[in-house]
Amino acid sequence: MLSFSKVCFEYPNSATWALDEVSLDVALGKRVALLGANGSGKSTLARLANGLLLPEAGTVQVDEFSSLDFSNIRALRQRCGVVAQDPDTQIVCTTVFDEVAFGPQNLKLDVAEIYERVEKSLAAVGLEGLRERDPNTLSGGEKQRLVIAGVLAMQPRYVVFDEPTSMLDAQGRAEVLAAIRDLQATGHGILHITHNLDEALEADEIAVLEAGRLIFSQSRKEFEQRADLMERFRVEPSAKAKAEIFGRPQQKPATSLVLERVSYTYSAGTSFEHQALNNINLTVVQGSVTLIAGHTGSGKSTLLRVAAGLLEPTEGAAFIETAKPNSKIELNKELNKEQINVQKATSKIEPGMVGLVFQHPESQLFAQTVFDDIAFGPCNIKLVSTPQETEDAVREACGLVGLDYGEFAQRSPFTLSGGEARRCALAGILAMKPQFLLLDEPTAGLDAQGHRFVAELIQKLRAQGIGVVVVSHEVDFFAPLANATLALDAGRSVPWQ
Amino acid sequence: MAVVVPFGQYIPGNSLVHTLDVRMKLLLVVAYVFALFSCGWFGLLVCAAALIVAYLVAGIPLARAVRGLFPVLFILAFTFLFNAFTFTATPAQSVAFDTVSLFGTALEVPQSISLIGGFGIVPLGVVRGLYFALRITLLVSVTTLLTFTSSIVALTDAISSLLSPLRFVGVPVEDVAMMFTIALRFIPLTTAEVEKIMVAQSSRGVRFDQGGLIKRARAYVPVMVPLFVNLFKRADELAAAMESRCYEGAGRTRLKVSRLAARDWVVGLAGTAFFVALGVLSLLGVL
């Protein structure tokens, strides 16, 4: 049994308990899902499970080993493995084989035993064929399966998964979820920490963590009867956001962001040559939402760089197209009919015209205050010149993303919570008043509430006449909000499924 | 980003050069470099021939070696021009002569030939310039051959294996090897991260290619700050992942105690002996 009993934990300089008397049991062969919003204390629990953190009150017990006795730490860590979010920060070694052998080497096992464990663990996650590969060349799903193999080689009885799918695309996610099912089938006790309702509903028992306290902990059946909890974690655009999409009269769009027959090849002429985009056409009109879907490596990030005017396509062109207001109405003599001859002017994509928000944009915050960070873009492109104008721009951007100006403007961006930092980073782009906005996986790592915020923001921007492009794995979530779609596969546009 | 940042330039293969134990390859390169810095023209040409043979055996086109020279082209050109030309050439009537022996015949060579006033050619300097340029060419080409035929992983393993005797004098060789490994894993990730942050900040109007030195340096502040913040965050997560798997530093099972095959010993030691002999004989003035 992996059991937490009345576990309390607080971080230094924090006013509140990160975990407050949390009690939870995971039996062998059982799977317990721990649901909670961003910042509810889920990851802290994961670090307590194998002694990376020690509880301030209460105990963590893995079989007969208790966290109270420090000499048990090694046994605790060996018996209870942890798989965290980002495979890139968990992989230590430079080949797949070495990575799986890393744990057993630390346990000072015989060479023969290590080889046997590595083979078994790789087979368990289906990576037998990749023994000599460099982990950097694996897909996200393969990397996370490699992390799981590395944990399995320690021969743990319990495995804690801390949002193991949040950095993966749909396929990688399916691979990892399958691996978790296999682990349970082989008798491991599983604690699956997540904010994804669908993933949680695969468990035998479900616990809900809210602001450090366990507010629910029962069987899945009981959970499914709690409509309030189901609703809270269901990821769906709010009814309001959905209703707005077709409810607004279409005004004639004056400006479009156009990608015409765009191809892009990296490192042309070398052995690393790689065609990332192949003959892509895309027109984003103002006041519309375009959804782009595709696996990691489908060319999405290259497409965004081209659309933002930051990468010159190898072939084709990316530009802004504007319909001239004084389009003439001419008489076509041959047909003897009036014909509207819409004249279009094209122009270069200037800095500030197209805002680009990368996945996890909060990891690009740098300034000393939230104010300075948000003002950075508008000052760079000389959109604002006086202090008053700057303040107005920052205030307006804060308003758009729902950050209270008075509370946040003078805080350091590095003290913000994950959700607040994401809002701050978005505000930094919106303050530049872009006509088009490119969002790369805007909901990555966000809980249900965060999802709703993103959906509402997109609708707000659309209503203001901004052309929004969303790149996301979460097709089901964004499809109801989109006017147009584009599916990418290996750099080509493919039919939408 | 889909593109794997090319790091190292390993070209996989099964040739004798590829499969030779990397420790022996390192030893050979050291002996080769010793020979390069001890030899005169004769020895240098022998070294050049040996390297060409090695490239042919490895099945790597010489054009790849030439491409590897591009980064040092400036140094090569500078070395040659600096030796071959002078600004203190003496007029033809008062020029001094050097005596050189070529195949037993004594030749009188002018010390400098004036082209325009003081600017002139130094005939012996041309020869000297070629000699130094060839030496640099061979030096660069031999190390590129090493990296063409050995993966980065094999190289680090070999270096830590060669360093392992130092553990007896208290050097934490295993920790150093682990640092090497982690650095290797994170260099491509960090490169990709820098690229991503730079693109993100360019989209916020930062120009990395405009203004004077100070302005350009300041443009990198919004890149370096988040980069370091993220690196520390990553380091923390990596440390957690390592501790979770009971990493405690030294005392781990050593997996790669790869033994040298008879062929490694023969090729490695014979080659090393050859180049050392070449160097020593040149230093003694025999060659």
Side-chain angles (χ1 to χ4, degrees):
Chain A
M1 188 85 86
L2 161 64
S3 59
F4 299 83
S5 56
K6 298 200 164 176
V7 166
C8 297
F9 188 84
E10 80 179 323
Y11 286 100
N13 309 323
S14 163
T16 54
W17 290 101
L19 290 175
D20 190 0
E21 298 210 337
V22 171
S23 298
L24 189 67
D25 290 336
V26 182
L28 278 176
K30 288 278 181 223
R31 177 163 168 191
V32 177
L34 181 68
L35 267 170
N38 295 124
S40 59
K42 293 177 306 200
S43 297
T44 307
L45 198 75
R47 286 194 167 198
L48 283 160
N50 69 349
L52 285 175
L53 296 176
L54 291 172
E56 262 146 88
T59 51
V60 178
Q61 183 111 9
V62 180
D63 295 334
E64 68 270 31
F65 301 101
S66 156
S67 64
L68 290 178
D69 182 353
F70 195 74
S71 63
N72 283 336
I73 290 293
R74 214 178 153 84
L76 229 65
R77 289 183 181 166
Q78 186 264 311
R79 293 212 170 200
C80 179
V82 175
V83 175
Q85 281 184 31
D86 184 358
D88 275 336
T89 59
Q90 296 174 80
I91 297 174
V92 185
C93 300
T94 42
T95 67
V96 167
F97 181 93
D98 287 353
E99 178 59 23
V100 183
F102 177 81
Q105 280 180 289
N106 296 335
L107 295 178
K108 307 180 174 67
L109 302 172
D110 295 346
V111 174
E113 165 91 18
I114 292 179
Y115 272 83
E116 198 190 312
R117 284 195 182 193
V118 172
E119 291 312 317
K120 259 198 201 156
S121 310
L122 284 177
V125 297
L127 291 179
E128 307 93 309
L130 305 178
R131 218 170 277 121
E132 293 307 319
R133 282 273 290 277
D134 174 355
N136 285 328
T137 64
L138 302 180
S139 74
E142 286 168 340
K143 281 184 197 170
Q144 196 64 299
R145 276 150 65 205
L146 173 59
V147 171
I148 296 174
V151 167
L152 283 183
M154 303 286 286
Q155 297 193 338
R157 288 155 65 89
Y158 307 90
V159 183
V160 177
F161 289 90
D162 184 6
E163 301 192 21
T165 61
S166 66
M167 310 286 272
L168 305 178
D169 64 10
Q171 186 181 343
R173 194 172 150 225
E175 289 170 18
V176 168
L177 292 177
I180 297 177
R181 275 177 226 123
D182 290 347
L183 280 192
Q184 190 189 357
T186 49
H188 294 86
I190 309 275
L191 176 59
H192 184 177
I193 297 172
T194 179
H195 52 63
N196 183 308
L197 185 66
D198 293 335
E199 290 182 8
L201 289 176
E202 287 191 27
D204 304 298
E205 285 162 44
I206 297 177
V208 177
L209 197 62
E210 188 183 77
R213 297 190 73 100
L214 217 52
I215 56 163
F216 180 92
S217 176
Q218 283 179 59
S219 72
R220 180 182 62 215
K221 278 239 165 60
E222 309 271 350
F223 179 84
E224 281 169 339
Q225 268 147 38
R226 288 283 300 269
D228 58 327
L229 291 176
M230 292 282 280
E231 185 54 36
R232 188 185 319 174
F233 291 102
R234 194 185 301 283
V235 162
E236 227 171 44
S238 67
K240 184 170 151 251
K242 262 201 234 172
E244 273 172 12
I245 184 159
F246 301 112
R248 211 172 50 86
Q250 287 278 328
Q251 54 167 268
K252 217 183 250 171
T255 309
S256 308
L257 171 63
V258 182
L259 268 62
E260 203 172 71
R261 295 193 303 280
V262 163
S263 296
Y264 192 87
T265 309
Y266 284 99
S267 312
T270 73
S271 52
F272 299 105
E273 182 169 315
H274 167 74
Q275 184 163 32
L277 289 178
N278 192 337
N279 200 20
I280 299 292
N281 287 302
L282 176 69
T283 302
V284 183
V285 293
Q286 277 192 305
S288 77
V289 178
T290 303
L291 172 61
I292 299 181
H295 291 303
T296 311
S298 59
K300 294 176 302 182
S301 25
T302 309
L303 182 81
L304 290 177
R305 284 164 166 78
V306 171
L310 298 169
L311 198 63
E312 196 67 34
T314 339
E315 280 164 61
F319 51 88
I320 303 282
E321 192 175 75
T322 318
K324 281 187 182 164
N326 55 348
S327 299
K328 286 179 206 147
I329 297 172
E330 287 174 348
L331 191 70
N332 186 320
K333 282 170 188 153
E334 278 170 39
L335 295 168
N336 203 16
K337 246 181 10 189
E338 273 183 350
Q339 198 177 53
I340 300 174
N341 185 3
V342 181
Q343 297 202 331
K344 284 179 175 170
T346 62
S347 61
K348 236 180 85 194
I349 301 170
E350 297 291 343
M353 235 176 221
V354 181
L356 172 59
V357 183
F358 273 119
Q359 187 167 0
H360 299 290
E362 58 277 15
S363 64
Q364 280 122 38
L365 299 176
F366 73 97
Q368 292 190 348
T369 62
V370 167
F371 182 97
D372 288 348
D373 215 294
I374 297 175
F376 183 63
C379 291
N380 279 333
I381 60 167
K382 314 232 161 32
L383 185 71
V384 292
S385 44
T386 65
Q388 188 56 47
E389 281 175 13
T390 312
E391 194 189 317
D392 291 346
V394 174
R395 266 183 197 280
E396 192 183 338
C398 282
L400 265 175
V401 299
L403 271 187
D404 184 75
Y405 179 87
E407 186 188 340
F408 287 100
Q410 292 312 317
R411 270 177 67 178
S412 158
F414 300 112
T415 61
L416 303 181
S417 76
E420 291 161 357
R422 175 84 46 103
R423 287 166 195 252
C424 171
L426 279 163
I429 301 292
L430 294 173
M432 295 165 72
K433 302 239 161 64
Q435 296 173 37
F436 298 92
L437 186 68
L438 314 174
L439 299 166
D440 186 8
E441 299 291 348
T443 48
L446 292 184
D447 56 19
Q449 196 199 343
H451 275 75
R452 271 173 235 133
F453 155 71
V454 172
E456 278 162 27
L457 178 68
I458 288 173
Q459 289 308 341
K460 228 190 277 179
L461 297 175
R462 201 179 76 93
Q464 289 189 359
I466 294 176
V468 182
V469 176
V470 180
V471 172
S472 181
H473 307 310
E474 292 183 74
V475 175
D476 295 338
F477 178 74
F478 285 107
L481 304 176
N483 312 85
T485 52
L486 170 70
L488 277 183
D489 187 33
R492 290 168 187 276
S493 163
V494 293
W496 185 264
Q497 287 168 345
Chain B
M1 187 119 224
V3 181
V4 177
V5 180
F7 179 65
Q9 29 187 354
Y10 181 51
I11 305 170
N14 290 314
S15 74
L16 176 66
V17 186
H18 281 89
T19 52
L20 186 65
D21 190 280
V22 182
R23 285 168 288 184
M24 280 302 171
K25 278 194 256 189
L26 280 167
L27 191 65
L28 274 171
V29 168
V30 172
Y32 189 87
V33 172
F34 169 69
L36 282 185
F37 281 91
S38 323
C39 289
W41 265 108
F42 172 74
L44 215 54
L45 292 175
V46 173
C47 286
L51 191 61
I52 290 172
V53 171
Y55 265 91
L56 293 178
V57 171
I60 290 167
L62 286 172
R64 293 295 292 262
V66 173
R67 217 183 293 163
L69 288 172
F70 286 164
V72 293
L73 220 51
F74 174 75
I75 299 174
L76 285 178
F78 184 78
T79 308
F80 177 73
L81 297 175
F82 188 75
N83 279 289
F85 294 96
T86 177
F87 285 100
T88 56
T90 30
Q93 52 274 27
S94 60
V95 76
F97 285 84
D98 281 329
T99 313
V100 244
S101 88
L102 191 69
F103 303 116
T105 352
L107 280 179
E108 293 267 295
V109 182
Q111 274 182 351
S112 59
I113 301 164
S114 164
L115 295 174
I116 308 161
F119 180 71
I121 287 187
V122 184
L124 281 182
V126 172
V127 179
R128 204 165 49 230
L130 284 174
Y131 170 82
F132 285 127
L134 179 61
R135 185 147 96 181
I136 295 170
T137 304
L138 293 178
L139 185 68
V140 172
S141 303
V142 77
T143 38
T144 42
L145 180 65
L146 180 69
T147 53
F148 279 149
T149 59
S150 332
S151 71
I152 290 282
V153 178
L155 273 171
T156 34
D157 285 346
I159 292 170
S160 40
S161 167
L162 287 174
L163 289 179
S164 60
L166 292 178
R167 82 179 73 232
F168 297 114
V169 292
V171 177
V173 176
E174 285 172 46
D175 293 342
V176 173
M178 181 55 68
M179 276 163 54
F180 265 131
T181 306
I182 293 173
L184 279 182
R185 229 197 77 64
F186 278 81
I187 286 169
L189 289 176
T190 311
T191 318
E193 172 110 2
V194 170
E195 191 268 353
K196 196 180 137 184
I197 301 177
M198 281 180 72
V199 171
Q201 305 298 28
S202 318
S203 85
R204 295 172 76 187
V206 179
R207 300 298 303 261
F208 295 101
D209 52 355
Q210 277 181 359
L213 200 61
I214 291 173
K215 200 171 171 200
R216 281 188 199 204
R218 280 188 56 183
Y220 280 89
V221 171
V223 177
M224 300 318 281
V225 173
L227 181 71
F228 277 97
V229 171
N230 296 346
L231 279 180
F232 281 117
K233 213 176 119 229
R234 279 195 170 156
D236 176 55
E237 286 172 16
L238 184 72
M242 290 171 76
E243 280 182 33
S244 289
R245 284 188 282 161
C246 300
Y247 180 75
E248 287 164 353
R252 312 172 64 228
T253 308
R254 281 164 58 81
L255 274 185
K256 288 184 186 149
V257 268
S258 61
R259 305 216 171 274
L260 292 164
R263 202 200 57 186
D264 294 321
W265 283 112
V266 173
V267 177
L269 292 186
T272 306
F274 175 76
F275 289 116
V276 171
L278 192 68
V280 170
L281 291 177
S282 305
L283 285 178
L284 294 175
V286 181
L287 285 173

